[in-house]
Amino acid sequence: SYELTQPPSVSVSPGQTASITCSGDKLGDKYACWYQQKPGQSPVLVIYQDTKRPSGIPERFSGSNSGNTATLTISGTQAMDEADYYCQAWDSGVVFGGGTKLTVL
Amino acid sequence: QVQLVQSGAEVKMPGASVKVSCKTSGYTFTGYYMNWVRQAPGQGLEWMGWINPNSGSTNYTQNFQGRVTMTRDTSISTAYMEVTRLRFDDTAVYYCARAYPGIGLAGTRWFDYWGQGTLVTVSS
């Protein structure tokens, strides 16, 4: 079965750029999307089709996908961006990455 | 506006069954696959499967085949997910989530709207 691998944790200083990776076999041949989940809340879609932002998602969130790796980039990271982030792809069904805890310190 | 409102928390004994509802509004219920996603305490997201609300056809992941049933009532735009023979490790928050784009379009999908989640606790 298809697997997506994310780092368990990423740390970033306020105002800096955070990058969260998601790796899978030939992931660049598929579309990736990303969800943000804060404690006690439902996930929120922040990137879909590799690079697109839903309405209401700040411009500081961006995405890319090439080769075996999709990347979520948060520019000018704010304290409110501290959350768990999950990548997701489609391979004969929905596949989630294991999630990455982003700490802003 | 699109809304997915789930039923309340449940506490069940091992071996029992639980049925969670997801009432939708603000869009054409039969136009989009409805998915169920599970999240055990402190763990990641796990896709359980989906139902086509138009036809009633379902697609369950192997992990849940035989113990999960997804149904719908189109007259009240509500989806249901039932888990039978509950085990302690079924303790989790269960989410319903709408898949976009709509039924009839091939290719990748993502979840644009989620319910608030339903905590199911399996305890003796």
Side-chain angles (χ1 to χ4, degrees):
Chain A
S1 61
Y2 195 76
E3 293 186 357
L4 295 174
T5 301
Q6 299 180 235
S9 63
V10 168
S11 297
V12 64
S13 299
Q16 299 304 300
T17 296
S19 294
I20 299 173
T21 59
C22 174
S23 299
D25 185 46
K26 298 180 182 178
L27 180 56
D29 292 344
K30 311 176 190 298
Y31 278 123
C33 64
W34 293 89
Y35 302 93
Q36 175 194 69
Q37 186 181 34
K38 296 182 179 180
Q41 298 183 18
S42 302
V44 173
L45 181 71
V46 294
I47 294 288
Y48 66 98
Q49 285 187 320
D50 295 340
T51 61
K52 298 178 181 178
R53 275 180 295 106
S55 62
I57 299 302
E59 290 184 10
R60 64 180 181 274
F61 287 87
S62 63
S64 64
N65 186 14
S66 180
N68 294 321
T69 304
T71 302
L72 173 69
T73 302
I74 309 172
S75 304
T77 307
Q78 300 182 8
M80 68 171 66
D81 300 329
E82 187 163 286
D84 293 327
Y85 291 85
Y86 295 90
C87 60
Q88 180 235 304
W90 173 264
D91 183 79
S92 301
V94 174
V95 181
F96 287 106
T100 298
K101 182 175 182 60
L102 177 67
T103 301
V104 182
L105 39 69
Chain B
Q1 71 284 21
V2 174
Q3 287 191 309
L4 282 62
V5 179
Q6 298 183 224
S7 49
E10 303 261 14
V11 179
K12 296 291 183 180
M13 299 275 284
S17 300
V18 68
K19 190 171 186 177
V20 179
S21 66
C22 173
K23 183 167 179 58
T24 73
S25 59
Y27 74 98
T28 302
F29 177 65
T30 52
Y32 299 83
Y33 291 103
M34 183 62 74
N35 295 255
W36 291 89
V37 177
R38 180 169 90 168
Q39 187 170 38
Q43 302 301 309
L45 303 173
E46 180 181 21
W47 182 61
M48 300 175 69
W50 71 18
I51 182 168
N52 176 333
N54 187 46
S55 66
S57 62
T58 54
N59 177 23
Y60 306 136
T61 64
Q62 197 161 7
N63 281 355
F64 297 99
Q65 289 268 4
R67 278 206 311 133
V68 167
T69 304
M70 297 176 189
T71 57
R72 92 291 189 214
D73 184 339
T74 57
S75 68
I76 55 172
S77 301
T78 299
Y80 302 91
M81 188 279 304
E82 182 176 28
V83 184
T84 60
R85 304 192 304 276
L86 285 165
R87 309 185 298 237
F88 291 117
D89 62 0
D90 290 319
T91 294
V93 175
Y94 291 79
Y95 295 99
C96 58
R98 188 183 84 162
Y100 192 90
I103 295 168
L105 295 175
T108 191
R109 283 181 164 77
W110 54 91
F111 301 143
D112 59 347
Y113 289 95
W114 296 67
Q116 83 275 21
T118 296
L119 175 61
V120 175
T121 302
V122 183
S123 174
S124 56

